[in-house]
Amino acid sequence: MANLAINGGSPIRNAKENPWAAWPVWDEKEEKALLEVLHSGVWSYNGPKETEFNKLFAEFTGTKYAVSSVNGTVTLQLALEALGIGVGDEVILPGITWQATAATVIDVNATPILVDVCEDTWCIDPEEVRKAITPRTKAIIPVHLYGSFADMDAIMKIAEEHNLAVIEDCAHKHGGEWNGKKAGSIGDIGSFSFQLSKHLTAGEGGIMTTNSRELAEKLDALRNCGRRPEGDEYSEDVDKGAGQYSDEGNFIQSGNYRITEFQAAILIEGLKRLPAQNAVRDENGIYINSLLKDIPGVKPMRRDERETKEAYFNFAFRYNKDEFKGLPVQKFREALEAELGISVDGSYEPLNNASLYVPLTKPARHKLNDEYWKNIDPKRFSLPVCEKIYNEESICMHHKVLMGTKDDMDMIIEAIKKIYDNAEELKD
Ligand SMILES: *Cc1c(COP(=O)(O)O)cnc(C)c1O
């Protein structure tokens, strides 16, 4: 008789009868806020909800400015544009991240340079960044992946030494803190996503944070067809003539990347919930990791001591098949999914071989010249650590698993132990 649920045994959790915490979270406060926007007739364009949310998010991240936009892809693109990055420039970023981190670099005609990550945090390896610097390097995009924080001390030091811009991709880190500084407040610009899976969401949406008035003005113009920011949003520290974002005059070329009032309304409510939700995820994360570390063959992610506040997007840990009688990670994920009734994935695909990062499928847009075409070929980058993480080690679950109770955490641990004890059953 099989024990494991994947082989027909009874699962650790029947998720139909005993569902996991739900995501997204909302109640009548969101309903009321949405109806308020509906009835007001002001559905977009620098409306009161957008203005309020920008202000609240800037306060939340401890930055002077926050400018919202349509999603966390466009925010990366506009950040690159605001920093003047384009033709002839190279941008260094980690080999494991969502494809947008690299694709947006190509969308501004610059060259993404993919480097390897640290094996215990899955975030960009500062030593690899150093090795990748050339006279063409203009920026670094560290990504605070899943529960981890990129080593911002090392990244900022390298950036200062080489006069590079830093865009923090904070799509996984709303509310996380490094040495008391919020994610998105350390580099030149922070880029956040509010896509449905993220831990602050309006279905879609994004925001850019910065302490630079000049960059804030540029970002504001770039998300609004190039128009000069209206009103006196930036007048706090007005010094006449400063903040001019184009040498030629008042307008720059751009498109419409504006958020709607409906999104802003939901985000205002979501932001109120976020600190408490982050605290629950952190408490559960600390608890489950304290148990995980004693099971052979699985390891928690390394939490850097300088990470003073945790913000999980997904719950990730490391797997070693040698301790599981050679059971491949893919099988382990499937077995865990069957025990728990919740999807269990691996990390993002390494970008040197990712199904959705395929710039060479778009010659009409990206074949600027033969040299550029060669340089944007993702296959030219070697990313052994990323490949090992993806192919052998990574286990990722949606952050909603951390939003429940300690009993939920115990079940995950129980399921891992059950697979450990019964790994024999899954041998081919
Ligand atoms: C989600 C995500 C993005 C893109 O955000 P969207 O809002 O989905 O466009 C960028 N970078 C990372 C690391 C992400 O996870």
Side-chain angles (χ1 to χ4, degrees):
M1 260 269 303
N3 283 319
L4 294 175
I6 194 170
N7 287 341
S10 68
I12 297 283
R13 182 171 184 137
N14 181 334
K16 280 213 180 76
E17 285 164 16
N18 185 12
W20 294 89
W23 190 257
V25 175
W26 59 276
D27 64 16
E28 60 280 356
K29 294 189 214 59
E30 275 80 1
E31 285 183 347
K32 186 168 163 275
L34 283 173
L35 283 174
E36 199 186 306
V37 172
L38 184 74
H39 295 152
S40 78
V42 183
W43 292 359
S44 72
Y45 206 108
N46 304 343
K49 296 282 188 196
E50 178 181 353
T51 306
E52 182 186 348
F53 179 66
N54 287 349
K55 196 164 159 279
L56 291 172
F57 202 80
E59 277 166 20
F60 179 69
T61 50
T63 51
K64 283 194 185 156
Y65 308 101
V67 180
S68 45
S69 187
V70 286
N71 59 49
T73 302
V74 158
T75 52
L76 287 168
Q77 183 197 315
L78 301 188
L80 289 159
E81 289 191 57
L83 289 161
I85 289 158
V87 175
D89 298 335
E90 292 177 353
V91 177
I92 300 174
L93 58 109
I96 284 194
T97 173
W98 177 237
Q99 57 89 254
T101 319
T104 49
V105 174
I106 294 186
D107 281 334
V108 302
N109 299 340
T111 304
I113 304 297
L114 309 178
V115 301
D116 226 330
V117 298
C118 301
E119 62 169 14
D120 51 2
T121 62
W122 306 349
C123 291
I124 196 164
D125 183 341
E127 286 314 307
E128 296 299 318
V129 173
R130 269 190 201 284
K131 284 190 225 157
I133 290 172
T134 74
R136 292 180 157 194
T137 309
K138 283 286 155 56
I140 311 168
I141 312 183
V143 181
H144 309 310
L145 203 74
Y146 308 130
S148 298
F149 220 113
D151 182 344
M152 288 310 290
D153 295 354
I155 298 294
M156 295 312 290
K157 187 155 176 277
I158 296 169
E160 268 160 40
E161 280 169 25
H162 296 270
N163 195 24
L164 307 176
V166 174
I167 300 170
E168 283 177 79
D169 186 341
C170 305
H172 296 185
K173 217 48 181 178
H174 316 56
E177 239 178 58
W178 178 263
N179 267 337
K181 279 187 172 173
K182 282 273 168 64
S185 73
I186 307 167
D188 297 278
I189 299 176
S191 165
F192 293 81
S193 163
F194 303 128
Q195 187 268 336
L196 184 59
S197 71
K198 306 296 158 74
H199 52 298
L200 175 59
T201 183
E204 302 287 349
I207 202 162
M208 302 158 287
T209 51
T210 183
N211 282 313
S212 155
R213 173 166 169 245
E214 194 188 336
L215 286 175
E217 282 200 11
K218 276 186 189 160
L219 293 169
D220 195 321
L222 285 165
R223 55 105 226 176
N224 189 17
C225 309
R227 289 184 183 92
R228 191 173 175 76
E230 290 165 7
D232 53 7
E233 273 171 78
Y234 302 101
S235 63
E236 238 171 55
D237 46 358
V238 173
D239 45 314
K240 287 254 176 322
Q244 193 87 333
Y245 51 84
S246 134
D247 294 338
E248 284 79 38
N250 276 339
F251 300 100
I252 50 176
Q253 175 68 32
S254 199
N256 171 8
Y257 304 110
R258 294 184 303 263
I259 197 168
T260 68
E261 285 288 281
F262 297 103
Q263 289 162 289
I266 292 206
L267 289 166
I268 288 169
E269 298 308 318
L271 187 59
K272 290 179 199 159
R273 302 175 192 277
L274 181 63
Q277 291 172 333
N278 275 347
V280 169
R281 281 183 289 248
D282 190 18
E283 203 183 313
N284 279 323
I286 288 171
Y287 176 68
I288 191 170
N289 282 333
S290 74
L291 301 174
L292 207 58
K293 73 174 178 4
D294 295 329
I295 306 176
V298 291
K299 242 194 228 163
M301 304 305 299
R302 181 171 69 82
R303 178 175 176 157
D304 197 298
E305 286 164 5
R306 294 164 290 182
E307 212 176 330
T308 39
K309 209 168 253 173
E310 179 58 280
Y312 281 101
F313 166 76
N314 284 2
F315 172 62
F317 63 90
R318 299 169 66 196
Y319 173 79
N320 176 2
K321 71 171 187 220
D322 297 343
E323 301 276 357
F324 280 76
K325 304 197 169 72
L327 186 70
V329 70
Q330 185 53 41
K331 275 243 178 104
F332 174 82
R333 289 179 196 136
E334 287 165 14
L336 192 57
E337 193 165 309
E339 295 300 338
L340 295 173
I342 191 162
S343 70
V344 178
D345 300 306
S347 70
Y348 295 122
E349 296 169 289
L351 289 180
N352 61 353
N353 189 22
S355 39
L356 293 178
Y357 179 57
V358 281
L360 301 190
T361 56
K362 238 174 155 182
R365 177 150 178 182
H366 298 315
K367 196 163 185 181
L368 306 182
N369 56 54
D370 289 341
E371 189 200 355
Y372 185 72
W373 192 242
K374 259 204 331 246
N375 287 343
I376 62 171
D377 182 354
K379 297 228 169 357
R380 78 181 172 98
F381 297 100
S382 157
L383 303 167
V385 180
C386 294
E387 279 159 15
K388 181 153 188 256
I389 290 164
Y390 177 71
N391 292 321
E392 299 176 31
E393 285 203 341
S394 53
I395 311 293
C396 294
M397 300 159 95
H398 190 265
H399 55 82
K400 69 186 176 191
V401 300
L402 295 178
M403 296 183 72
T405 59
K406 285 217 163 58
D407 284 349
D408 290 350
M409 303 304 103
D410 289 337
M411 279 188 175
I412 298 172
I413 293 294
E414 209 183 315
I416 296 168
K417 282 185 178 157
K418 183 176 167 191
I419 299 167
Y420 180 84
D421 291 338
N422 294 278
E424 202 67 41
E425 259 189 36
L426 291 170
K427 286 194 108 170
D428 292 323

Short mmCIF file of all heavy atoms in Angstrom, two decimals, residues 71-74 76 97-98 100-101 143 145 169 171-172 193-195 198 204-205 313 348, ligand 1:
data_model
loop_
_atom_site.label_atom_id
_atom_site.label_comp_id
_atom_site.label_asym_id
_atom_site.label_seq_id
_atom_site.Cartn_x
_atom_site.Cartn_y
_atom_site.Cartn_z
N ASN A 71 2.41 48.87 -14.35
CA ASN A 71 2.85 47.57 -13.83
C ASN A 71 4.34 47.62 -13.50
O ASN A 71 5.00 48.63 -13.74
CB ASN A 71 2.52 46.43 -14.81
CG ASN A 71 3.18 46.62 -16.16
OD1 ASN A 71 4.37 46.89 -16.26
ND2 ASN A 71 2.39 46.50 -17.23
N GLY A 72 4.84 46.52 -12.96
CA GLY A 72 6.23 46.46 -12.53
C GLY A 72 7.22 46.20 -13.65
O GLY A 72 8.43 46.15 -13.41
N THR A 73 6.72 46.01 -14.85
CA THR A 73 7.59 45.92 -16.03
C THR A 73 7.87 47.34 -16.53
O THR A 73 9.03 47.74 -16.69
CB THR A 73 6.91 45.10 -17.15
OG1 THR A 73 6.62 43.81 -16.64
CG2 THR A 73 7.79 44.99 -18.36
N VAL A 74 6.79 48.08 -16.74
CA VAL A 74 6.93 49.46 -17.21
C VAL A 74 7.73 50.31 -16.22
O VAL A 74 8.52 51.16 -16.62
CB VAL A 74 5.52 50.05 -17.48
CG1 VAL A 74 5.53 51.57 -17.44
CG2 VAL A 74 5.01 49.56 -18.83
N LEU A 76 10.25 49.41 -14.46
CA LEU A 76 11.67 49.16 -14.72
C LEU A 76 12.12 49.92 -15.98
O LEU A 76 13.18 50.54 -16.00
CB LEU A 76 11.92 47.66 -14.91
CG LEU A 76 11.87 46.78 -13.67
CD1 LEU A 76 11.85 45.30 -14.06
CD2 LEU A 76 13.06 47.07 -12.76
N THR A 97 15.63 35.81 -12.24
CA THR A 97 14.64 36.84 -11.92
C THR A 97 13.53 36.68 -12.94
O THR A 97 13.64 35.92 -13.89
CB THR A 97 15.25 38.26 -11.98
OG1 THR A 97 14.20 39.23 -11.81
CG2 THR A 97 15.95 38.53 -13.29
N TRP A 98 12.45 37.41 -12.73
CA TRP A 98 11.39 37.43 -13.73
C TRP A 98 11.95 38.08 -15.00
O TRP A 98 12.80 38.96 -14.95
CB TRP A 98 10.18 38.19 -13.18
CG TRP A 98 9.07 38.33 -14.17
CD1 TRP A 98 8.50 39.49 -14.61
CD2 TRP A 98 8.41 37.28 -14.87
NE1 TRP A 98 7.53 39.22 -15.53
CE2 TRP A 98 7.46 37.86 -15.72
CE3 TRP A 98 8.55 35.89 -14.88
CZ2 TRP A 98 6.63 37.12 -16.57
CZ3 TRP A 98 7.73 35.13 -15.71
CH2 TRP A 98 6.79 35.76 -16.53
N ALA A 100 11.13 40.30 -16.97
CA ALA A 100 11.00 41.74 -17.19
C ALA A 100 12.28 42.50 -16.80
O ALA A 100 12.61 43.52 -17.41
CB ALA A 100 9.82 42.30 -16.39
N THR A 101 12.99 41.99 -15.78
CA THR A 101 14.20 42.68 -15.33
C THR A 101 15.20 42.82 -16.48
O THR A 101 15.88 43.84 -16.62
CB THR A 101 14.85 41.91 -14.16
OG1 THR A 101 13.84 41.45 -13.27
CG2 THR A 101 15.81 42.80 -13.38
N VAL A 143 17.90 42.34 -7.60
CA VAL A 143 16.51 41.91 -7.38
C VAL A 143 16.46 41.26 -6.00
O VAL A 143 17.26 40.37 -5.70
CB VAL A 143 16.07 40.88 -8.44
CG1 VAL A 143 14.62 40.46 -8.22
CG2 VAL A 143 16.28 41.43 -9.85
N LEU A 145 14.97 38.75 -4.26
CA LEU A 145 14.17 37.62 -4.74
C LEU A 145 13.51 36.82 -3.61
O LEU A 145 14.17 36.48 -2.63
CB LEU A 145 15.08 36.70 -5.56
CG LEU A 145 14.38 35.81 -6.59
CD1 LEU A 145 13.94 36.61 -7.79
CD2 LEU A 145 15.30 34.68 -7.02
N ASP A 169 15.05 46.24 -8.05
CA ASP A 169 13.80 45.59 -8.46
C ASP A 169 13.17 45.01 -7.19
O ASP A 169 13.59 43.97 -6.69
CB ASP A 169 14.06 44.51 -9.51
CG ASP A 169 12.77 43.92 -10.07
OD1 ASP A 169 11.72 44.07 -9.41
OD2 ASP A 169 12.81 43.31 -11.15
N ALA A 171 10.02 44.04 -6.74
CA ALA A 171 8.73 43.41 -7.02
C ALA A 171 8.37 42.34 -6.00
O ALA A 171 7.21 41.93 -5.91
CB ALA A 171 8.73 42.82 -8.43
N HIS A 172 9.37 41.89 -5.21
CA HIS A 172 9.11 40.88 -4.18
C HIS A 172 9.31 41.43 -2.77
O HIS A 172 9.44 40.66 -1.84
CB HIS A 172 10.09 39.70 -4.32
CG HIS A 172 9.97 38.94 -5.59
ND1 HIS A 172 10.68 37.79 -5.84
CD2 HIS A 172 9.21 39.13 -6.69
CE1 HIS A 172 10.38 37.32 -7.03
NE2 HIS A 172 9.49 38.13 -7.58
N SER A 193 6.04 46.07 -8.20
CA SER A 193 4.91 45.54 -8.97
C SER A 193 3.72 45.30 -8.05
O SER A 193 3.89 44.87 -6.91
CB SER A 193 5.30 44.21 -9.63
OG SER A 193 4.15 43.49 -10.04
N PHE A 194 2.52 45.56 -8.58
CA PHE A 194 1.29 45.25 -7.84
C PHE A 194 0.45 44.21 -8.60
O PHE A 194 -0.77 44.21 -8.54
CB PHE A 194 0.48 46.52 -7.59
CG PHE A 194 1.23 47.59 -6.84
CD1 PHE A 194 1.31 48.88 -7.34
CD2 PHE A 194 1.88 47.29 -5.66
CE1 PHE A 194 2.01 49.86 -6.66
CE2 PHE A 194 2.60 48.26 -4.97
CZ PHE A 194 2.66 49.56 -5.47
N GLN A 195 1.13 43.36 -9.32
CA GLN A 195 0.47 42.28 -10.05
C GLN A 195 -0.19 41.34 -9.02
O GLN A 195 0.22 41.31 -7.86
CB GLN A 195 1.53 41.57 -10.92
CG GLN A 195 1.02 40.53 -11.88
CD GLN A 195 1.02 39.16 -11.28
OE1 GLN A 195 1.78 38.87 -10.35
NE2 GLN A 195 0.15 38.30 -11.78
N LYS A 198 1.67 39.34 -6.29
CA LYS A 198 2.57 40.07 -5.39
C LYS A 198 1.89 40.37 -4.05
O LYS A 198 0.67 40.34 -3.96
CB LYS A 198 3.07 41.37 -6.05
CG LYS A 198 3.70 41.15 -7.42
CD LYS A 198 4.97 40.31 -7.36
CE LYS A 198 5.32 39.64 -8.67
NZ LYS A 198 5.86 40.50 -9.70
N GLU A 204 -3.14 44.55 -11.29
CA GLU A 204 -1.96 45.03 -12.00
C GLU A 204 -1.60 46.38 -11.38
O GLU A 204 -2.41 46.98 -10.69
CB GLU A 204 -2.23 45.23 -13.50
CG GLU A 204 -2.70 43.99 -14.24
CD GLU A 204 -1.62 42.94 -14.48
OE1 GLU A 204 -0.43 43.25 -14.25
OE2 GLU A 204 -1.98 41.83 -14.87
N GLY A 205 -0.39 46.84 -11.68
CA GLY A 205 0.04 48.14 -11.18
C GLY A 205 1.51 48.11 -10.83
O GLY A 205 2.13 47.04 -10.76
N PHE A 313 7.86 37.40 -0.66
CA PHE A 313 7.03 37.07 -1.80
C PHE A 313 7.37 35.62 -2.09
O PHE A 313 8.50 35.32 -2.46
CB PHE A 313 7.36 37.93 -3.02
CG PHE A 313 6.76 37.38 -4.28
CD1 PHE A 313 5.41 37.53 -4.53
CD2 PHE A 313 7.53 36.70 -5.20
CE1 PHE A 313 4.84 37.00 -5.69
CE2 PHE A 313 6.97 36.17 -6.35
CZ PHE A 313 5.63 36.33 -6.60
N TYR A 348 12.32 30.86 -10.83
CA TYR A 348 12.27 31.30 -12.23
C TYR A 348 13.33 30.54 -13.02
O TYR A 348 14.36 30.15 -12.47
CB TYR A 348 12.58 32.79 -12.35
CG TYR A 348 11.57 33.70 -11.68
CD1 TYR A 348 11.97 34.58 -10.69
CD2 TYR A 348 10.24 33.70 -12.08
CE1 TYR A 348 11.06 35.44 -10.08
CE2 TYR A 348 9.33 34.55 -11.48
CZ TYR A 348 9.73 35.42 -10.48
OH TYR A 348 8.84 36.26 -9.89
C1 LIG B 1 6.45 40.63 -11.11
C2 LIG B 1 7.85 41.07 -11.38
C3 LIG B 1 8.17 42.09 -12.28
C4 LIG B 1 7.17 42.67 -13.23
O1 LIG B 1 6.04 43.17 -12.67
P1 LIG B 1 4.64 43.15 -13.48
O2 LIG B 1 3.79 44.03 -12.66
O3 LIG B 1 4.17 41.74 -13.53
O4 LIG B 1 4.89 43.71 -14.82
C5 LIG B 1 9.48 42.51 -12.37
N1 LIG B 1 10.44 41.94 -11.64
C6 LIG B 1 10.19 40.92 -10.79
C7 LIG B 1 11.32 40.34 -10.00
C8 LIG B 1 8.89 40.44 -10.65
O5 LIG B 1 8.65 39.42 -9.84
#
